[in-house]
Amino acid sequence: MSNVQEIRYSRHELLKEVGIEGQKRIAQGRVLIIGAGGLGSPASLYLASSGVKKITIVDSDMVDLTNLQRQVIHNMERLGLNKAESAKVALQAINPEVEIVPVDHRPSLEELEKLVSDCDVALDCTDNTESRYTFNDVCRRFKKPLVTAGVVAFDGQITVFDFRDPESACYACLFPNHEGKDEKASTKGVFAPLVGMLGCMQAAEALKIIGKFGEPLTGRLLMVDARTMTWRQMKYRRDDECPCCAKEK
C-alpha cells in the first residue's frame, strides 16, 4: 500500500486481528450489493471508507423524498436520480480510490450470475422475498458468501450464509415457506436508525470475510427488537429437505 493508504487505514492496521495483511486483503475485495436503500446505504458507505477494491451496487429505483428518512447515502440534490447512480456519487466522494459500478436496472438471471461470479462476498439489502430466494440460489451455486439482513418496523435480523462450505445452510433452509405479501417500509413503516445499525453490521460481516479475521455470523441468526434494544440469537443448520439445497443432490 502507498503511504497515503497506510495513513488512511492505520486504525484498521492497529487492530491485531486485522493488521497490515488484513487491510491488504480488504483492499483487494470485491463486494456486490443488491439494494441501495436503507441497508445498502450504510453498508456501502462503510465498505467504501474501509477501502475495498470494488463495490458493485444494484438498484433500479429512483430517489424520492420518502427515502431520505433512512437512506443516508442519498440527499435532496439527487431526488429523481437512480439510486445506484446516486450511491456512486456519494461513495466516490468518500473514497475515490474505490471502483464503484452502478447497475441501474433489475438484472436478468444471466446478468445476476455474472455479477455474483465476479464478487468475493454478496450483500442482500433488498426488501423483496422473491429476490432474496433468487439471490440466495445464485450465491449458493457460485459458492459466494452471502450476508443478508432485513428490517420491518422496529424488528431487524442478520445472518451469513457461507457457501464456500458445502454443508452451509441457505436462506431457504432458514425461511422455507413464504406466503402473502412482503412487509415493506411503505406499508409497515421502519425505524430509521435500525436500518443503519443492520447495514453497518452487514459491512462488518463482509469485511471480516474478506479480511479473514473474526468470526462471521455463519449459522447464527441475530435478531433485535429496537423498541427495547433486546438482542436474541438463534443457531440453525442446513435442512436436508430444503428444495434449494436439494438441487445439488
Side-chain angles (χ1 to χ4, degrees), residues 3 10 21 35 40 93 99 102 129 133 140 191 212 214 230 238 243 245:
N3 290 336
S10 61
E21 293 306 313
E99 180 184 358
T129 303
Y133 282 120
R140 181 191 56 79
F191 185 45
K212 298 181 180 179
T230 303
R238 179 169 173 165
C245 295

Side-chain angles (χ1 to χ4, degrees), residues 98-163:
V98 178
E99 180 184 358
I100 309 298
V101 180
V103 178
D104 63 2
H105 58 277
R106 184 166 185 159
S108 65
L109 180 58
E110 182 180 1
E111 186 177 4
L112 181 61
E113 290 173 338
K114 187 175 185 304
L115 292 171
V116 169
S117 68
D118 190 45
C119 76
D120 297 308
V121 61
L123 271 61
D124 178 358
C125 299
T126 68
D127 61 359
N128 180 286
T129 303
E130 182 180 352
S131 297
R132 288 183 185 274
Y133 282 120
T134 301
F135 195 29
N136 165 82
D137 187 45
V138 174
C139 289
R140 181 191 56 79
R141 288 192 284 110
F142 283 86
K143 297 178 172 56
K144 301 293 184 175
L146 173 61
V147 184
T148 183
V151 174
V152 176
F154 288 91
D155 299 307
Q157 61 190 29
I158 181 173
T159 192
V160 173
F161 305 110
D162 193 343
F163 295 121

